[in-house]
Amino acid sequence: MNYISTRDKSVKVTAAVAIAQGLSNDGGLFVPDSFPKFTDKDFEYLTGVDYKQRAKFILKQFLNDFTEEETDYCIEGAYTGSFQNEQPAPISLIGKNANLLELWHGPTCAFKDLALQLLPYLLTTSAKKVNGGKKAVILVATSGDTGKAALEGFKDVENTEIIVFYPCEGVSNMQKLQMSSQKGENVHVFGIKGNFDDAQSGVKKIFSDNLVKEKLAENNMLFSSANSINWGRLAPQIVYYVSAYCDMLKRGEDLKDGFNVVVPTGNFGNILAAYYAKKMGVPINKLICASNVNKVLTDFIKTGKYNRNREFFATNSPSMDILISSNLERMIFELSGNNDKEVAKYQADLAEKGEFTVSDSIKTAMSELFFGGFCDEKQTLETINKYFSEYGYLCDTHTAVAMNVYDQYIAETGDDRPTVIASTASPYKFANSVLSAVTDEKADSDFAEVRLLNKVSAMEIPEPIAELENAKVRFNEICDKTEMVSAVYSALKID
Ligand SMILES: *Cc1c(COP(=O)(O)O)cnc(C)c1O
């Protein structure tokens, strides 16, 4: 297996290059040129082993130029001791068929930890092979959760610097405090005046700016990415969908007609990983793509037209406030039959006009694989309330969007087969909104809200959130979106 660029498939690299580099020089994303297909025997083996063994078995297939020892070392390092349980992705069954795949028991209380605890290991191992001793500079654009998870993953990792840009009006208080109080000698955090798309476009532009790259090279440095454009972010996410399937088999669930997967979606990374799991043989029936009112994906799945020219809403599920879903490019590459020219054309249209329309065959394939739905902020809160009062299950705002769209899907299709719902964050990360959904009582500070939520729900406060109350703010610099390059230079102390 090698990796090719979605915009020029003559570009062919190993896993280490794809991970160390992050993005192809032509602006395309790296994808495997073939996928392994698991047999019943493989699933039987995987069902009998723990999460780390599952991860090793699956990721070995993708890390073509890693030795077995290297892969094992990375996975042991990532998943030993950093999650609340030995199983970092446990399932809570609600009602008869809703399997909440809880991906928020890691150090930053959001699903990004599953990949970002592992990525630093994958990246430093890759960099040793291909960077010739250069320091890796990780640039991150975040809608709130990636930033913190990447900072935690990369803090004080040798021979790396990490620089995070977040939209200063677009993240929750808790998310902001998590990032601005980050410890570590190699970490840098900036708020930018703009939204997530501005941050992401800015970062992508820096990646393909030759002048900036030369400047880094002169200083013996090299850029890489911890965003889900990096293959090293996506591959670890495939693992938990395979793992969820194995856990359901182990429980004796009847899955002969497959199961559905619902994912609260922003950048299309998490749901793409579920698609790849399906492609590798996991019997996933429908992929249900849940959006908030920034419903660019719902519209795309229905119409085949992707149009980002619309109002941007800052919502109570901020990690999904995105109008340019980067990983959709990988999906379209796949559905076009690996047609790099076609993908490059759509992406050029998106850059120039803010929209593109896919061919009929892609549109049809897309709507067969996916069901797209969305809900507004009020419905999000109502859904939190509904599942809390009916089942005593408290979910965060992002997961609530998924639950709401799951309900819509059942109402529309009657298809109530077993379903895995990606539960992407701890409700405490969005305590303010979650609290307003379950009680009329008010609290007068962020941490008073956390305590009140604990009183109302009796759900344990995660340690990383409790700790924040006394955390010291280290970073409060805000820059204009046009000043991102100088922010990078100042962080790296180069000029
Ligand atoms: C990042 C994030 C999402 C969106 O995931 P994508 O992979 O970008 O689609 C959903 N929920 C939470 C809590 C997140 O942090």
Side-chain angles (χ1 to χ4, degrees), residues 110-112 143 145-146 175 228 233 237 263-271 319-320 322 396 398-399 424-425 430:
F111 87 88
K112 309 294 200 292
S143 57
D145 290 329
T146 292
Q175 289 176 314
S228 56
R233 266 285 297 280
Q237 296 182 224
V263 185
T265 302
N267 224 357
F268 210 78
N270 204 4
I271 197 165
S319 302
M320 293 154 63
I322 292 175
D396 95 292
H398 304 76
T399 309
T424 51
F430 304 92

Side-chain angles (χ1 to χ4, degrees), residues 380-394:
T380 303
L381 299 182
E382 283 164 3
T383 307
I384 294 173
N385 185 284
K386 173 187 157 185
Y387 280 91
F388 184 61
S389 41
E390 279 179 30
Y391 300 98
Y393 190 85
L394 191 66

